[in-house]
Amino acid sequence: MNIAPTSASSENPAQGKLVVFEPREGEPGDVWSREHGTLSLPDGWAFLEPGNTFVTRHVKKGPHWVLMGKHSRRGGYTPTLGVYAPGATIAEARRLEQATTEQRERKRKKSQIQRAAKEQKYRQNFEKACFDFLDFVHEHAELAKQIAREATDQACQVSSGRVGRTAKLELTKKVELAVRAYLRHNHTDYEEWLSYGTDEEEHRGLKAGAAVLACRSSKARFSLVSPQNTS
């Protein structure tokens, strides 16, 4: 188990920042640290449970001991149980939290508005890129707009893990994958093919590609071409 180095004072632990653990059963002291062994809590110190980011961040600016739990081999992490710090520091952090509530709420709302505007702009750009990628003839422009809009809604759901949310691909590649996936599931018999056990990798690109090309400017009319007729 690796714990980040601390800035503990070798002379007075109460003046430093330590990572500590609960002592083993039967051992003296309140906590144990790698630097100092078993330790008793300094007079006037209190325990701050996790959950309040503002208070915890403020408390950690001064001397404190972070209490860690047992390392989870299965989960691969070490939970933080809370922070020991001077009681006066914790009380001051709570007072400051109350005093700045309105200010932080205004800042939060402003940030929320900015994120919403950024998300709206991203979706607009994504939808336009989908429309451009489809490149349908003029007579099918409305269909292209519908596909672009619905493909964007499907691919760009926040926290969905779908292709529209990834930062690993360029926009053009994300758009191509999003449009093909939408066409595959909504304008072909792809789902029916899967129900009959048809190999997914063999046909999904072919079917979606045929559906896109059938509407593009090189074609005079819209039709959904089945794989056997795409030669």
Side-chain angles (χ1 to χ4, degrees):
M1 174 173 56
N2 296 321
I3 300 295
T6 64
S7 56
S9 168
S10 59
E11 296 181 357
N12 187 355
Q15 298 300 318
K17 300 176 182 180
L18 292 177
V19 171
V20 298
F21 302 84
E22 294 177 337
R24 294 177 180 176
E25 186 175 353
E27 288 186 348
D30 298 310
V31 296
W32 177 90
S33 78
R34 288 193 174 92
E35 296 84 358
H36 303 281
T38 55
L39 294 167
S40 296
L41 291 176
D43 292 339
W45 278 41
F47 183 68
L48 175 65
E49 294 183 352
N52 190 319
T53 303
F54 179 88
V55 173
T56 300
R57 184 168 58 243
H58 184 79
V59 166
K60 283 186 173 181
K61 292 179 180 179
H64 66 272
W65 299 350
V66 177
L67 178 63
M68 306 298 292
K70 293 182 179 180
H71 180 70
S72 171
R73 293 184 178 180
R74 183 175 182 180
Y77 70 97
T78 304
T80 300
L81 302 182
V83 178
Y84 287 109
T89 301
I90 296 176
E92 172 61 17
R94 295 192 187 281
R95 185 200 66 77
L96 188 61
E97 178 194 21
Q98 294 296 323
T100 60
T101 297
E102 292 185 4
Q103 177 186 351
R104 288 184 291 109
E105 180 63 18
R106 288 195 299 269
K107 185 177 180 180
R108 185 190 67 80
K109 289 182 178 180
K110 181 179 179 180
S111 178
Q112 189 177 43
I113 292 173
Q114 290 174 339
R115 287 196 304 271
K118 184 178 180 180
E119 175 67 15
Q120 182 180 15
K121 183 177 180 180
Y122 173 72
R123 282 176 173 258
Q124 288 174 344
N125 291 339
F126 196 97
E127 184 174 332
K128 182 180 183 303
C130 287
F131 180 82
D132 293 341
F133 172 76
L134 287 166
D135 191 25
F136 283 5
V137 292
H138 178 71
E139 62 188 282
H140 300 303
E142 290 304 315
L143 176 61
K145 290 179 181 179
Q146 177 188 344
I147 292 174
R149 181 176 62 255
E150 294 180 2
T152 297
D153 290 342
Q154 178 176 290
C156 295
Q157 291 182 23
V158 176
S159 302
S160 65
R162 294 176 179 171
V163 68
R165 307 313 309 185
T166 182
K168 296 180 180 180
L169 299 174
E170 296 292 334
L171 178 62
T172 52
K173 186 61 177 178
K174 290 192 286 187
V175 163
E176 177 184 350
L177 293 174
V179 169
R180 289 184 181 278
Y182 176 84
L183 290 172
R184 189 164 64 242
H185 290 282
N186 294 276
H187 290 279
T188 74
D189 57 353
Y190 172 73
E191 301 291 347
E192 183 179 352
W193 281 38
L194 288 184
S195 68
Y196 284 103
T198 305
D199 183 72
E200 177 182 350
E201 294 300 326
E202 178 182 354
H203 293 291
R204 66 180 183 177
L206 180 61
K207 289 174 67 62
V212 172
L213 292 174
C215 288
R216 283 190 163 168
S217 54
S218 60
K219 300 290 182 179
R221 64 184 179 83
F222 171 73
S223 63
L224 286 173
V225 185
S226 60
Q228 59 267 31
N229 295 327
T230 57
S231 57

